[in-house]
Amino acid sequence: HDAFKEGVKDTFVLVELDFPKDKTKVSDEVRAQNEMLSEKYGVEGFPTILLTDASGRPYASTGYQKGGPEKYVAHLNVLREKRTARDEAFAAAEKTEGVEKAKALVAALDAMKLSDAAITAFYADIVERIKAADPEDATGFSRKAAAAGRLKAFQDQLRALAAKKDMDGALKLVDETLAAGGFETEETLQLMMTRAVILAQEDKIAEALKAVDDAKAFAPDSPMIPGIDQFRKRLEDSAKKPADGAEKSE
């Protein structure tokens, strides 16, 4: 919309990356470039809107917003303040030492609400300062970063197994990762639900339902519970279909 273009022309350089389902609409070179940038910036869904400084370092992310182009421009202008807040927070942290410095740097990273992949790719220097200032990991930052790295490796392995349709291998990977532990509550819950999804894809509905119930019991107050309940209902509905079909065939 012209109102959007006019509203951002003096504050942003617009970059659009297209990920069409029909891969023939972009060249192999563009597709490779986009996949590399998607991984680097930690894009997990579409649309993803990232605000970066002139060096390409992200400082805020957002997505679809209701209200039209004028309101979206206003929304972006509010997010632009995060860059100033980031720079001021980093500068203030440098005036402190030890765990206090680490906590200030962690808070500055958290305030931007970026993906783990983006933090790793663009704020490696800050990550190293946190580790140096907090060698005993009083902030828990290093532990969380290690868990995020393990989760990323797990997801990469799972995608590879899914591409080969190796569901038994995928289930084994999930079980081994869960047994190893070391994840936050929500991450563990996601792993448990991944197990339920794999079982459902193998038409092991009874086992999938039990896996869902185990997940709910593990974190009954999680914000994921409504979505988990919807998934459970779909499983129950699918479990009824074979019986209905059997009755008709008789």
Side-chain angles (χ1 to χ4, degrees):
H1 293 82
D2 289 339
F4 175 79
K5 294 176 183 178
E6 185 66 23
V8 300
K9 71 176 185 178
D10 296 324
T11 49
F12 290 105
V13 174
L14 302 180
V15 178
E16 180 181 5
L17 304 180
D18 191 17
F19 291 79
K21 290 183 179 180
D22 182 355
K23 304 298 184 182
T24 63
K25 291 185 176 181
V26 293
S27 67
D28 290 343
E29 182 181 10
V30 169
R31 185 163 61 252
Q33 166 201 268
N34 289 358
E35 289 174 356
M36 179 274 292
L37 290 171
S38 176
E39 182 173 353
K40 187 174 183 178
Y41 281 94
V43 175
E44 298 178 349
F46 303 102
T48 291
I49 312 299
L50 292 163
L51 281 66
T52 81
D53 55 26
S55 69
R57 204 181 203 191
Y59 59 84
S61 66
T62 185
Y64 172 76
Q65 298 285 327
K66 293 182 179 180
E70 293 86 353
K71 285 191 176 181
Y72 205 90
V73 170
H75 170 63
L76 294 181
N77 285 334
V78 170
L79 289 182
R80 285 181 64 215
E81 297 172 7
K82 286 195 173 189
R83 183 180 60 181
T84 301
R86 175 200 68 179
D87 296 343
E88 291 177 348
F90 286 163
E94 291 304 314
K95 298 177 183 178
T96 61
E97 298 292 339
V99 175
E100 182 183 354
K101 179 177 182 177
K103 287 181 178 179
L105 291 173
V106 170
L109 292 179
D110 288 345
M112 291 185 284
K113 300 186 183 303
L114 300 174
S115 68
D116 291 331
I119 294 295
T120 299
F122 294 97
Y123 291 92
D125 57 328
I126 302 299
V127 170
E128 289 306 313
R129 289 179 200 173
I130 292 170
K131 292 179 179 179
D134 182 22
E136 300 298 321
D137 196 26
T139 60
F141 178 83
S142 294
R143 176 177 54 80
K144 289 181 181 179
R150 287 179 56 216
L151 192 61
K152 173 66 166 56
F154 162 80
Q155 291 167 340
D156 290 342
Q157 289 178 271
L158 189 65
R159 278 193 289 269
L161 290 167
K164 295 188 294 184
K165 300 189 186 318
D166 183 359
M167 306 308 287
D168 289 339
L171 192 60
K172 181 181 177 182
L173 174 65
V174 173
D175 288 341
E176 290 175 347
T177 304
L178 280 168
F183 296 101
E184 297 293 316
T185 298
E186 293 302 306
E187 293 168 338
T188 301
L189 186 58
Q190 289 174 11
L191 288 168
M192 295 178 77
M193 285 306 300
T194 298
R195 188 177 193 279
V197 170
I198 293 171
L199 289 167
Q201 290 174 339
E202 290 191 300
D203 289 327
K204 297 178 179 179
I205 304 303
E207 292 181 54
L209 285 168
K210 183 181 183 307
V212 170
D213 291 339
D214 289 344
K216 291 180 63 177
F218 173 76
D221 299 323
S222 168
M224 292 174 61
I225 293 299
I228 291 174
D229 284 338
Q230 291 178 8
F231 177 72
R232 194 186 195 289
K233 186 176 186 309
R234 290 198 297 272
L235 285 178
E236 290 175 336
D237 291 343
S238 68
K240 297 174 184 176
K241 290 180 182 177
D244 294 341
E247 289 176 3
K248 290 178 181 177
S249 64
E250 292 173 2

